Amino acid sequence: MTESRIDFRRAKFLISAPDIAHLDQYLPGDIGIEIAFAGRSNAGKSSALNALTEQKSLARTSKTPGRTQLINVFELDDDRRLVDLPGYGFAQVPLALKNKWQEALGEYLQKRACLSGVVVLMDIRHPLKDLDMQMIEWAVLSNIPVLALLTKSDKLTQSVKMKTVNDVRAALSNFGDKVQVETLSSLKGTGKPKVLSILNDWCHPEWLAEQKAEQALDSE
């Protein structure tokens, strides 16, 4: 579907929250539509958000992985938001703090009723680490659609890139249509139109409901 397309370039910072409890105080979890971005601290999450919104500094980038330690919310319009979750897999913070962030991520996925989809970002050269799989499984078990987004795709040749994509799709095939796999180069912009198309669909969950209903009728 192409109508009612969302202009992701209009994204603007709304709030930061240290955990789900504080987020709920600002934004009750059953209001509006949210798309969450999650990934390891070196997955290029901030760069991807900036590339998709065509803004150089919407999400702060840093040469030191793990700087995103808050839940950062960006408004698309009155009803739709992008949510930058804390990066996971930190190497340079205390274990207790790692566990606290992991708990916050799981809590967000399981309790935010407005969550329409989760983008799990992974460096295409190092996909499907244990925490990536845990994040994907959490979302699927919570009945939330997932985009497994392989970032930094310009780092590989075309043939190696396609082989990696096929390998990742095969590894996630047990999840069926609940998980899609795409690539993105924040540097060159390749893969961006497909990613934005998926995000646009997630911004209109009524479309997805209609599609599922039609598929159910076709299968009868």
Side-chain angles (χ1 to χ4, degrees):
M1 299 185 184
T2 57
E3 66 269 33
S4 302
R5 296 203 67 83
I6 302 298
D7 186 355
F8 290 89
R9 297 171 298 180
R10 296 182 62 185
K12 60 183 180 181
F13 175 77
L14 186 60
I15 58 166
S16 289
D19 52 41
I20 189 75
H22 287 80
L23 182 61
D24 284 340
Q25 290 179 8
Y26 290 114
L27 292 168
D30 58 350
I31 293 178
I33 295 167
E34 289 180 357
I35 296 174
F37 286 71
R40 294 179 64 84
S41 55
N42 60 350
K45 184 157 51 72
S46 296
S47 296
L49 273 164
N50 289 340
L52 292 170
T53 58
E54 297 184 20
Q55 299 186 41
K56 292 183 178 180
S57 57
L58 179 72
R60 294 183 179 179
T61 59
S62 172
K63 293 182 180 179
T64 304
R67 284 291 176 84
T68 304
Q69 300 173 12
L70 299 171
I71 299 172
N72 295 310
V73 182
F74 306 100
E75 184 181 63
L76 294 172
D77 58 29
D78 290 342
D79 299 313
R80 300 171 177 88
R81 302 177 291 273
L82 303 179
V83 180
D84 184 10
L85 297 175
Y88 50 80
F90 301 95
Q92 300 178 359
V93 298
L95 180 60
L97 194 52
K98 287 186 184 182
N99 291 338
K100 180 181 177 182
W101 284 329
Q102 287 300 106
E103 183 180 346
L105 289 175
E107 203 174 26
Y108 174 85
L109 291 177
Q110 294 163 12
K111 294 185 177 180
R112 291 293 282 183
C114 59
L115 187 57
S116 180
V118 177
V119 182
V120 178
L121 299 98
M122 298 172 279
D123 186 324
I124 194 169
R125 298 166 296 180
H126 313 288
L128 298 181
K129 299 293 187 182
D130 288 347
L131 289 175
D132 300 323
M133 288 301 298
Q134 183 178 351
M135 181 64 62
I136 292 169
E137 289 166 359
W138 266 342
V140 170
L141 288 172
S142 301
N143 202 31
I144 300 165
V146 176
L147 171 59
L149 186 57
L150 304 177
T151 62
K152 308 180 185 181
S153 63
D154 52 282
K155 301 292 186 181
L156 300 180
T157 64
Q158 183 66 17
S159 60
V160 175
K161 179 175 78 170
M162 291 313 301
K163 181 182 184 303
T164 303
V165 170
N166 291 332
D167 288 346
V168 171
R169 284 178 174 157
L172 298 175
S173 60
N174 288 342
F175 296 120
D177 61 0
K178 294 180 180 178
V179 179
Q180 301 179 69
V181 180
E182 298 295 340
T183 64
L184 176 70
S185 168
S186 298
L187 182 64
K188 297 184 178 180
T190 52
K192 182 174 156 185
K194 179 61 177 177
V195 174
L196 288 177
S197 177
I198 293 170
L199 300 185
N200 191 70
D201 283 349
W202 287 354
C203 282
H204 298 85
E206 69 277 7
W207 293 359
L208 301 179
E210 289 174 7
Q211 290 172 9
K212 288 181 179 179
E214 290 172 0
Q215 291 170 0
L217 288 173
D218 291 342
S219 64
E220 290 180 356

